[in-house]
Amino acid sequence: VYIVDYKGFMITASIAGMSSDINEKRVRANESSSDFIRLSAITISNQYNGNWSTADGVILTVDIENDGLYYVQSNELTDEYGLHWHVVVAELVSCDIGFYVHKEFDSILVENNEVCSECPGHTQCDGEDIYPYPEEGYWMDRDETLIK
């Protein structure tokens, strides 16, 4: 979880050792030293032309190298006194048994829970974020998830 203001500057984050400023200068989320914060902020910004308010309540996905695919949602928090923050929450994508996450799944808008795909024939899918593997006697081309 992290919070930014309406311009994308960091307010706080729940990541250990994460700071919202460097050398007493506020940092934009898309310049963060945290891969998760930086990449999720870039995804939100790119998808909505830098307008965090337009992304309010929308669920996106962000692939963090060597960490996994995450659902990310930004929720706008405002009040009559001028508070204008965006609270960003995330959860690791975890598919059910019999389903898998495409490793090449891009950071896009999630619609109809299409992040997890049904396991192709003659493969085993253990769910979570584990890639399918072929049943005994079969092989697979991981580039195309072809089973032969």
Side-chain angles (χ1 to χ4, degrees), residues 11 15 27 30 40 56 82 93 97 103 120 130 134 143-145:
I11 302 295
I15 298 171
V27 174
N30 62 3
S40 61
D56 181 40
V93 172
I97 292 175
K103 293 299 179 188
I130 301 169
D143 291 336
E144 299 181 24
T145 316

Side-chain angles (χ1 to χ4, degrees), residues 40-69:
S40 61
I42 288 169
T43 299
I44 292 168
S45 183
N46 288 347
Q47 194 75 22
Y48 294 97
N49 297 318
N51 186 343
W52 286 77
S53 294
T54 307
D56 181 40
V58 175
I59 300 173
L60 302 168
T61 58
V62 176
D63 190 9
I64 309 298
E65 191 172 341
N66 300 319
D67 196 15
L69 186 70

Side-chain angles (χ1 to χ4, degrees), residues 79-142:
D79 70 11
E80 66 272 15
Y81 302 106
L83 179 71
H84 194 172
W85 288 355
H86 297 271
V87 179
V88 181
V89 296
E91 181 176 346
L92 185 65
V93 172
S94 182
C95 299
D96 292 333
I97 292 175
F99 291 82
Y100 73 103
V101 176
H102 289 282
K103 293 299 179 188
E104 62 276 353
F105 192 88
D106 199 6
S107 299
I108 61 169
L109 182 67
V110 176
E111 294 180 8
N112 303 322
N113 197 24
E114 294 175 356
V115 175
C116 297
S117 296
E118 191 168 355
C119 202
H122 303 293
T123 63
Q124 294 288 321
C125 292
D126 294 337
E128 299 182 12
D129 64 346
I130 301 169
Y131 207 69
Y133 54 92
E135 292 177 344
E136 188 172 330
Y138 292 87
W139 63 275
M140 67 188 293
D141 180 347
R142 285 186 173 250

